[in-house]
Amino acid sequence: MDLQTHQPVPGATLAGTDHQQTVADDNGVFEWKTGTGAQKVTVTSIGYLQRTVLVKEGAGELLIFLEPAGYRLNTVQVTGWSTQKKDNQLDVAQSVGVLTPGDLHRNSGLSLENSLNLLPGVTMQSRSTFGGQRIIIRGYGNNTNFNGQGVQVLLNNIPVTDATGTTILDDIDFSTLGKVEVIKGPASSLYGSGIAGAVSLFTLKPQPNQTRIVEENTFGSYGLWRNNTRVETANSHSAILFNYGHQESEGFRQHSASNKDYAQFSGDFFVSDKSTISTFFSYSNSHEELAGEMDSSQFYSKQKWSDPAYLVNDSKVDIESFRAGVTSNYKIDEHFSNQSTVFFSGYTLNSPFAHGLTSAEAFTFGGRTGFVYASTPGSGSVAVHGILGAQFQKTLAFNKSYNLTNDTVGGIRGDLQNGSQNYNLFTEWKFTLASRFIITAGGSLNFTEYAITDLLANSANPTHANQGGDKAFSPVFTPRVSVLKGLNDHVSVYADVSAGYTPPPTADVIIAAIGRANLGLKPEAGVQYELGTKGDLFNRKLSYQLALFDLDVRNKIVSETVAAAGGLPQYTAFVNAGRQQDLGAELSLSYVLLDNRQAAVTLLRPFVTYAYSDFKYKDFYSDNNHNAATVNYSDKKVAGVAPSVLNLGVDLETRAGLYAYLTYRYVGAVPYTFDNLHYAKSYSLLNGKIGYRTQLGDHFSFDAYFGADNLTNSTYYTFLFFSGNLAGTTDPHFLPMPYKATVYGGAKLAYIF
């Protein structure tokens, strides 16, 4: 079975030390004759890492998990939400990026940026040492300088993105991820709203047919220390994993320390041939200090400056959170199955910053179910696979804000209760026709509602402007249709059209200064047109993916200042002010020069990814006033997106256990104001990691490693703020990374029972 998807791996070849051989059938099932004592059986399959398991005499049922080989781009299965059928990339008429354990641990594995940013068209940035992440996909998601919007993020089928559309990633333990899937552009037929797309995170799965204890420690520059203690066990009936992690760093600037504690449990229980129950529970406590952003002169002169306004208020983000979910996969009969998930999550947030204090509590609950139909393979000229489902999600948030001076809390200035909910009906149908044609069609009907109560609007505050209000957006249907043609067993071409929309967050819907709901504000809406091709050539040594796309976004939301009039003060409101057109091309290439587990060099693979982005504003203005003060940004480049991003890398692994990974990244110059008068300079980044892994007898495995980031001492940023233009004489838009190379090293020891 596939380690992550738990789907059969047909055609896997098994070879034993007694020269016995067999091949798994279409359901992954095989028979093996056990002899006297134990023997080693080696399992191989295209697209998976070779696996050797110990088969004992009279073993009975044996469940073997195979780990996808990420270096073969188009053979890694795409999970999605639907059950029964998992697709190889060649059959997916959409640009999907997949990261496997090899991709996630080609660096320290503590941050997701270095791995996720290898996918063309995807950019992840962090506001603090290990927090405040924002994901931008194909130029969308850059309309916020804080937590990401427009992308749906899930962790083990549990939504991380809440009902307000906000995604907070500070409490995600990236070091325990085993797989990441990124759908680029609207994924309406399975995930509902969200123009940027969907990011599905999956945690590690236990190694098969064994119980083991894993201890891992990583140390590095600026006081970095990470510890993982993990217990995992898996057999033919269940796969269970518990991990506790502690992580800390002093940060490279004053007041940029990070301290985190994580605990998580995951369990897959194979109840019967028809039923699997998967559970996930996690707790985290995250502390991220804020040092503030720099202006360009400070940044490019390599100062370690921290903003005094942040320091005097001890600015930070403290988040304590939990997340829980249960997923049931049930095969009703040979044609019908169901996957259902119920989830519950919550967090408390305390964040003093330069100009105040925010205190919040939020609780999210909901569920999702999908009924799947799959026709019998070979039953006719048309094979059908479809899903019909629904999702409901509600977030109850309690937000308070206070004045804050010299780290002393002042009077309360906001006390809001927010009840937000969204729900959708979705469907997707895939028809596999003769002559290798695959047609996919589907869509979702989406509902979004906000209800805000202002607890300060009472008799004790007669002059307080009531910030409460209700907003129910009109239902939005977002369709998707695609056509794929398989030219042969190794190459496919496709065309895809998909629509999405992103409702504004509650902060944009309510005009706090005048206590009025912004009833005229519309959701941003987008349509993406994509042409692409995928292939595995030269005996599957060369894998490629190429996509050309046009993502057209309407009703872009910007803030505008409204002058005082009619007894109302000057205030800021959000309006729909224009359109954005993102034209781009993305290429991924991977060439496996060597892939022989019996040779001295078992793997040698160079790879390259490249994204070209011609993203521009169209009919886009600074506000909706259209007066002398209004600035026309039409035909300007989209802020925060580099026209060219190139990644080069090489992977080397040896039979002796030595390995080395090297990655080079180039990011072109980026405008950080809408008027394009100010640019962040281009930069190059060179990262490397070397290590040694081995098996010590039957009971121990060992992995030691050393790595370095920014080997060439480049000046580069971890977060870039965007604005319409520069207000005043400074431009505090940069959050810097260390100006010199940072190093890390560590070891992982596992005891196998």
Side-chain angles (χ1 to χ4, degrees):
M1 299 175 72
D2 185 289
L3 178 63
Q4 286 290 336
T5 66
H6 288 169
Q7 295 300 301
V9 180
T13 300
L14 298 92
T17 52
D18 63 350
H19 305 294
Q20 186 180 173
Q21 290 189 351
T22 190
V23 177
D25 65 16
D26 289 342
N27 294 312
V29 175
F30 65 93
E31 291 186 359
W32 192 266
K33 295 181 180 179
T34 58
T36 302
Q39 62 172 305
K40 292 183 178 180
V41 177
T42 300
V43 189
T44 57
S45 182
I46 294 176
Y48 291 90
L49 299 180
Q50 178 178 294
R51 185 82 191 164
T52 299
V53 297
L54 190 67
V55 180
K56 299 179 180 179
E57 181 180 356
E61 289 188 357
L62 188 65
L63 180 59
I64 301 176
F65 291 121
L66 297 182
E67 184 176 304
Y71 51 83
R72 298 188 184 275
L73 303 179
N74 298 312
T75 56
V76 179
Q77 290 185 338
V78 177
T79 308
W81 259 98
S82 59
T83 57
Q84 268 196 18
K85 181 177 176 58
K86 311 300 179 185
D87 292 310
N88 289 331
Q89 286 271 22
L90 285 177
D91 295 332
V92 178
Q94 198 171 21
S95 185
V96 181
V98 180
L99 300 176
T100 61
D103 303 304
L104 295 167
H105 295 287
R106 58 182 304 110
N107 46 67
S108 70
L110 305 184
S111 296
L112 189 57
E113 287 96 315
N114 284 341
S115 298
L116 197 64
N117 288 343
L118 292 178
L119 298 177
V122 181
T123 300
M124 187 177 189
Q125 299 179 338
S126 297
R127 284 196 67 198
S128 58
T129 302
F130 289 104
Q133 294 89 350
R134 169 181 63 189
I135 298 175
I136 302 171
I137 302 177
R138 292 182 170 176
Y140 194 89
N142 64 339
N143 57 327
T144 172
N145 283 326
F146 298 96
N147 301 304
Q149 293 173 353
V151 59
Q152 297 288 321
V153 179
L154 302 99
L155 175 63
N156 286 5
N157 293 333
I158 304 169
V160 177
T161 305
D162 66 19
T164 71
T166 301
T167 303
I168 298 176
L169 299 174
D170 293 55
D171 60 343
I172 303 296
D173 187 355
F174 297 120
S175 75
T176 60
L177 294 182
K179 187 177 183 181
V180 177
E181 294 181 1
V182 180
I183 298 178
K184 303 175 191 176
S188 55
S189 56
L190 289 178
Y191 295 97
S193 63
I195 295 173
V199 178
S200 295
L201 311 174
F202 302 93
T203 54
L204 288 168
K205 298 289 187 180
Q207 297 298 321
N209 310 305
Q210 62 181 227
T211 298
R212 68 176 191 164
I213 298 175
V214 181
E215 182 68 22
E216 181 176 13
N217 283 275
T218 302
F219 299 89
S221 301
Y222 304 107
L224 173 66
W225 174 46
R226 171 66 195 225
N227 167 262
N228 273 333
T229 301
R230 186 160 61 249
V231 179
E232 55 186 68
T233 180
N235 53 40
S236 59
H237 303 292
S238 64
I240 298 172
L241 183 149
F242 173 79
N243 187 85
Y244 168 74
H246 174 76
Q247 182 175 307
E248 59 186 54
S249 171
E250 298 171 359
F252 98 102
R253 286 196 293 162
Q254 181 184 2
H255 206 267
S256 61
S258 170
N259 196 301
K260 296 176 182 285
D261 286 282
Y262 305 101
Q264 69 179 42
F265 169 88
S266 62
D268 297 312
F269 303 94
F270 310 110
V271 180
S272 68
D273 292 340
K274 292 186 175 182
S275 177
T276 300
I277 302 293
S278 299
T279 60
F280 180 78
F281 306 93
S282 68
Y283 166 83
S284 71
N285 197 325
S286 171
H287 170 83
E288 293 285 326
E289 293 181 350
L290 303 176
E293 55 272 18
M294 294 182 176
D295 63 39
S296 58
S297 62
Q298 294 166 330
F299 176 57
Y300 286 112
S301 61
K302 300 186 177 182
Q303 298 181 26
K304 286 189 177 181
W305 181 84
S306 296
D307 191 337
Y310 281 76
L311 300 183
V312 73
N313 278 345
D314 189 23
S315 300
K316 59 190 175 183
V317 178
D318 288 337
I319 298 178
E320 187 174 15
S321 71
F322 69 90
R323 185 171 285 111
V326 178
T327 297
S328 168
N329 285 291
Y330 185 75
K331 185 177 180 180
I332 301 171
D333 58 26
E334 62 176 333
H335 296 295
F336 292 94
S337 62
N338 174 265
Q339 184 184 82
S340 296
T341 299
V342 293
F343 53 84
F344 185 58
S345 63
Y347 68 83
T348 62
L349 180 148
N350 180 65
S351 179
F353 54 99
H355 307 292
L357 169 67
T358 296
S359 176
E361 295 181 355
F363 304 93
T364 298
F365 62 91
R368 180 180 178 100
T369 187
F371 289 90
V372 177
Y373 170 79
S375 62
T376 303
S379 60
S381 59
V382 178
V384 180
H385 181 270
I387 181 170
L388 175 65
Q391 175 175 301
F392 170 80
Q393 185 181 23
K394 184 163 186 173
T395 297
L396 302 173
F398 306 89
N399 303 299
K400 294 184 179 182
S401 59
Y402 301 86
N403 294 317
L404 186 67
T405 305
N406 296 328
D407 201 24
T408 301
V409 179
I412 189 170
R413 62 190 190 194
D415 190 356
L416 301 178
Q417 290 187 0
N418 176 11
S420 300
Q421 63 184 20
N422 58 50
Y423 44 99
N424 62 66
L425 304 173
F426 61 92
T427 188
E428 181 177 280
W429 292 86
K430 182 175 181 179
F431 304 91
T432 303
L433 311 176
S435 302
R436 301 180 184 268
F437 275 102
I438 299 176
I439 297 176
T440 304
S444 61
L445 183 62
N446 306 276
F447 303 82
T448 302
E449 301 174 5
Y450 299 145
I452 301 175
T453 302
D454 186 350
L455 295 183
L456 291 184
N458 53 50
S459 59
N461 301 286
T463 61
H464 176 76
N466 189 345
Q467 300 178 31
D470 297 342
K471 175 72 173 179
F473 293 95
S474 299
V476 176
F477 178 71
T478 51
R480 180 196 170 214
V481 62
S482 67
V483 177
L484 181 143
K485 165 66 174 174
L487 303 182
N488 50 46
D489 290 337
H490 303 286
V491 177
S492 64
V493 295
Y494 67 88
D496 176 76
V497 180
S498 56
Y501 88 113
T502 301
T506 53
D508 296 359
V509 173
I510 301 300
I511 307 174
I514 62 174
R516 185 177 299 168
N518 198 352
L519 298 178
L521 192 63
K522 301 176 182 178
E524 295 185 355
V527 177
Q528 177 176 273
Y529 307 89
E530 180 177 327
L531 298 174
T533 177
K534 306 175 184 182
D536 295 316
L537 306 175
F538 307 115
N539 197 27
R540 296 188 182 271
K541 288 183 176 293
L542 175 66
S543 300
Y544 78 88
Q545 297 180 10
L546 174 65
L548 309 175
F549 63 89
D550 176 0
L551 176 59
D552 197 343
V553 183
R554 307 179 306 279
N555 300 325
K556 289 290 294 181
I557 297 174
V558 300
S559 63
E560 71 172 13
T561 300
V562 180
L568 295 177
Q570 177 177 296
Y571 62 91
T572 298
F574 290 86
V575 296
N576 301 107
R579 187 168 67 91
Q580 177 178 320
Q581 185 176 34
D582 297 347
L583 300 174
E586 297 164 356
L587 174 68
S588 297
L589 284 173
S590 171
Y591 190 81
V592 183
L593 285 170
L594 299 173
D595 185 16
N596 184 351
R597 298 296 153 177
Q598 306 305 317
V601 177
T602 57
L603 175 67
L604 179 60
R605 181 202 54 137
F607 67 88
V608 58
T609 67
Y610 176 72
Y612 171 74
S613 304
D614 182 17
F615 300 171
K616 291 185 178 180
Y617 298 117
K618 301 291 183 179
D619 300 321
F620 191 90
Y621 298 89
S622 61
D623 54 51
N624 254 345
N625 297 327
H626 297 292
N627 54 28
T630 300
V631 182
N632 186 353
Y633 298 129
S634 299
D635 296 321
K636 301 293 184 182
K637 295 180 180 179
V638 171
V641 178
S644 291
V645 176
L646 173 69
N647 293 297
L648 301 173
V650 61
D651 297 343
L652 172 68
E653 298 177 2
T654 70
R655 188 178 181 184
L658 295 171
Y659 60 87
Y661 308 125
L662 190 67
T663 304
Y664 168 83
R665 178 173 174 83
Y666 168 80
V667 177
V670 178
Y672 58 85
T673 57
F674 295 164
D675 56 20
N676 290 181
L677 297 179
H678 304 274
Y679 275 74
K681 299 178 183 179
S682 63
Y683 67 84
S684 298
L685 190 62
L686 184 65
N687 299 336
K689 180 180 180 181
I690 58 175
Y692 173 73
R693 62 173 71 99
T694 187
Q695 189 81 19
L696 304 174
D698 293 334
H699 294 288
F700 287 96
S701 67
F702 178 72
D703 186 357
Y705 49 86
F706 174 81
D709 295 335
N710 193 17
L711 287 163
T712 55
N713 299 329
S714 293
T715 301
Y716 73 108
Y717 46 85
T718 182
F719 200 99
L720 185 62
F721 284 78
F722 315 138
S723 64
N725 47 49
L726 291 186
T729 58
T730 60
D731 59 333
H733 286 69
F734 297 87
L735 288 173
M737 289 295 283
Y739 302 122
K740 295 183 179 180
T742 59
V743 298
Y744 61 89
K748 178 169 63 175
L749 179 67
Y751 178 77
I752 305 168
F753 291 89

